[in-house]
Amino acid sequence: MSKTVESYIAKLIQAYQMATKKTCTEMALDFDVTLSNLYRYRMGTGNPRARTIDKIILAIQENCPELLDQKSDDPGKEGYPNGPFGQDF
């Protein structure tokens, strides 16, 4: 089964929160999204637009780029079995 964009973004946001120890309010400011939408995106129930996904990826790239650089060929990195998502896309 393939992963959806919503589940990928949700796992990315959760990994970002674990890595940075930021509150949801701080992350909403980082991503320039409303707090209510951040909660939805974080749970995988939101439907972010392409611009919103770009904002999230850009903020993560600036603040915590190692989350986007992890590869499945490096098991155990950062405490994840195959990076934070278990596989590459």
Side-chain angles (χ1 to χ4, degrees):
M1 184 169 106
S2 62
K3 292 188 178 188
T4 64
V5 171
E6 290 87 359
S7 67
Y8 178 81
I9 294 298
K11 289 183 181 185
L12 186 59
I13 291 171
Q14 291 167 10
Y16 179 77
Q17 186 173 26
M18 287 176 53
T20 62
K21 306 290 189 237
K22 290 189 176 192
T23 66
C24 287
T25 302
E26 291 169 326
M27 289 190 308
L29 291 171
D30 286 351
F31 302 150
D32 191 27
V33 299
T34 64
L35 186 57
S36 60
N37 279 338
L38 176 70
Y39 283 124
R40 286 189 204 106
Y41 303 150
R42 189 171 157 264
M43 298 305 295
T45 58
N47 188 17
R49 294 177 179 213
R51 283 189 184 151
T52 303
I53 293 169
D54 287 345
K55 288 180 187 180
I56 292 168
I57 298 295
L58 181 62
I60 291 172
Q61 189 174 20
E62 289 176 356
N63 298 313
C64 203
E66 64 274 7
L67 292 178
L68 299 173
D69 292 339
Q70 292 180 349
K71 303 289 184 193
S72 64
D73 60 306
D74 191 3
K77 184 174 183 180
E78 298 294 322
Y80 298 101
N82 291 318
F85 311 111
Q87 66 183 25
D88 286 335
F89 285 88

